[in-house]
Amino acid sequence: MDELRIDSHKLIYHVGRVSDWLKGKDIYPVFLDVSPTSACNHRCVFCGLDFARRPVFLGTGVLEKMARDAARHGVKSIMYAGEGEPLLHKDMARVIRTTKNCGIDVALNTNGALMDKKFLEKALPYLTWLRVSIDAGTAGTYKAMHRAGQMDFDRVFQNLEDAVRIKNKKQCRVTVGTQFLLLKENAPEAGILAARLAKIGVDYLIIKPYSKHPLSSNDAGTELDYTKMLAIEKKFGKYQDGTFRVIFRRQTMEKRFKDKPYLRCLGAPFWAYISATGDVYPCHTFLGVKRCSFGTLNDESFTDIWKGERRKKVMRYFRTAMDARKCRELCRLDEINRYLWQLTHPHAHVNFI
């Protein structure tokens, strides 16, 4: 059971913000996806950006000021992930602590190779959830998929064991999760990975489908028909117990080649993406598209950017002209868009509850 609603959406828990949006108010986002750096220590074959971007780092002071501004305007959560590996940023633990102390829930998405005990001791008490991408069940496949160092596979598992141990020792409320991008090359190893993770004591493993980024030239899973791979979901039942579970994103896989039932991206006002260059975008699909940038945190505050004319202009485009049907497949806002489209386009019988 996906009680975390990873294969659905959580906007139903933010009724006040949705109500303000329905009334036409200019709302602040619920969630921010922030990239502390574009640098990465791995070269995954499925990377959304193909490592074409030069390594840049968002300043610690800029990140902390952004978090404080966001908190004042009711932003509820920030995930540090983005174009590169966030743990290459030397002050990541400090930034996580500052963000949480502002009153914002914090998450971290990482490949886990740099997640050593020193970092975990500092960061785990402040994180709501931690998610590590492990896309193989054996060292050989991991090296081929992540194009990583010889020792990284074993190092990641050791770091996960340390994370679980420190979580229990400190009684942290953090959820320690993992994810597996399902491709034909690694599909036979999903069960091997699940069995090992269950023994370690992590909280979950997500099995997710490939989604091609518009900026990417790789086609790691472009032609995959996930409907032919759904049967493997049944294999994971034997690994699940009261603490560990496998979240198989069946719903997302099933709709990959289906038409979207909405014309516009209505979910854009509820989140934003901040790139390693400090540019603020409606989402990471438009990374590098200057006409869709709201502004840069290196020049303006988050508050000024959100209130600025550039953002209002981009939002008008999203609201009136953008064709969401031509946007990225399996977009993270898809379920939110379906929900908001239903709210704004009710059928004639909605009062018969």
Side-chain angles (χ1 to χ4, degrees):
M1 180 179 177
D2 181 17
E3 63 267 28
L4 295 176
R5 300 183 68 86
I6 288 172
D7 207 30
S8 182
H9 74 91
K10 301 160 193 165
L11 202 57
I12 59 170
Y13 300 110
H14 300 278
V15 178
R17 199 79 53 107
V18 174
S19 177
D20 286 344
W21 174 79
L22 286 170
K23 294 173 184 176
K25 294 183 180 180
D26 190 19
I27 61 170
Y28 276 86
V30 174
F31 166 77
L32 296 178
D33 186 346
V34 179
S35 178
T37 180
S38 62
C40 194
N41 56 326
H42 287 185
R43 294 292 182 268
C44 301
V45 297
F46 48 80
C47 176
L49 297 175
D50 305 316
F51 309 100
R53 302 174 64 80
R54 62 184 178 86
V56 293
F57 292 80
L58 200 50
T60 302
V62 173
L63 286 165
E64 291 181 321
K65 186 176 187 301
M66 174 274 299
R68 295 186 186 101
D69 281 354
R72 283 195 293 270
H73 297 296
V75 171
K76 301 294 185 182
S77 63
I78 292 178
M79 177 180 71
Y80 292 107
E83 304 115 74
E85 168 51 50
L87 293 188
L88 283 170
H89 194 291
K90 63 182 179 64
D91 289 328
M92 200 65 253
R94 169 181 160 178
V95 170
I96 288 170
R97 182 178 68 248
T98 299
T99 305
K100 182 60 177 179
N101 286 340
C102 290
I104 293 178
D105 290 340
V106 196
L108 176 69
N109 207 346
T110 172
N111 60 42
L114 303 175
M115 192 178 69
D116 58 21
K117 285 186 283 188
K118 182 179 179 181
F119 169 81
L120 291 167
E121 291 278 359
K122 292 179 179 179
L124 276 187
Y126 300 95
L127 287 168
T128 298
W129 57 260
L130 164 72
R131 187 178 299 156
V132 177
S133 296
I134 313 177
D135 304 284
T138 64
T141 301
Y142 182 86
K143 185 177 180 181
M145 298 289 289
H146 279 243
R147 291 187 288 194
Q150 187 70 33
M151 304 301 295
D152 276 11
F153 183 70
D154 291 334
R155 185 177 293 115
V156 169
F157 280 98
Q158 181 59 60
N159 292 343
L160 278 170
E161 289 180 11
D162 290 338
V164 172
R165 178 180 56 78
I166 293 170
K167 169 188 173 177
N168 293 335
K169 177 184 175 182
K170 290 180 173 285
Q171 295 185 316
C172 302
R173 298 181 66 182
V174 60
T175 299
V176 179
T178 56
Q179 66 181 7
F180 179 97
L181 180 64
L182 184 62
L183 298 171
K184 61 182 180 181
E185 294 87 353
N186 63 1
E189 298 186 4
I192 299 173
L193 178 61
R196 187 167 180 180
L197 292 172
K199 291 179 181 178
I200 290 175
V202 302
D203 294 297
Y204 65 73
L205 167 65
I206 297 171
I207 309 293
K208 59 182 283 189
Y210 174 85
S211 174
K212 184 178 176 63
H213 193 286
L215 295 178
S216 176
S217 61
N218 83 64
D219 57 355
T222 307
E223 302 304 322
L224 277 180
D225 182 356
Y226 282 105
T227 60
K228 297 179 180 179
M229 305 175 79
L230 297 178
I232 70 171
E233 181 181 9
K234 298 177 182 178
K235 299 179 181 180
F236 298 114
K238 60 184 177 182
Y239 305 114
Q240 305 191 77
D241 55 29
T243 57
F244 175 73
R245 58 201 181 281
V246 178
I247 301 169
F248 190 86
R249 298 193 62 181
R250 168 182 284 268
Q251 178 174 273
T252 301
M253 294 179 192
E254 288 178 329
K255 67 187 179 185
R256 182 176 182 190
F257 296 115
K258 294 181 180 179
D259 292 336
K260 296 173 181 175
Y262 50 88
L263 302 180
R264 304 283 180 254
C265 181
L266 302 181
F270 295 90
W271 88 325
Y273 179 81
I274 298 176
S275 75
T277 60
D279 287 284
V280 183
Y281 295 96
C283 80
H284 47 49
T285 296
F286 296 90
L287 178 65
V289 181
K290 286 299 180 183
R291 66 183 177 86
C292 290
S293 170
F294 300 158
T296 175
L297 292 171
N298 292 314
D299 297 332
E300 304 174 84
S301 70
F302 177 77
T303 302
D304 289 340
I305 289 173
W306 204 259
K307 290 181 177 179
E309 288 302 317
R310 287 176 63 177
R311 187 190 69 86
K312 293 177 182 177
K313 182 179 179 180
V314 174
M315 286 295 96
R316 279 196 297 271
Y317 165 70
F318 269 66
R319 191 169 58 249
T320 62
M322 176 205 172
D323 188 348
R325 295 168 299 180
K326 297 178 181 179
C327 200
R328 183 178 184 175
E329 64 178 13
L330 304 186
C331 166
R332 277 168 55 187
L333 286 176
D334 179 71
E335 285 298 316
I336 287 177
N337 279 325
R338 291 169 185 261
Y339 168 61
L340 295 176
W341 192 261
Q342 287 182 317
L343 284 181
T344 54
H345 296 78
H347 58 75
H349 299 174
V350 294
N351 290 335
F352 295 87
I353 62 173

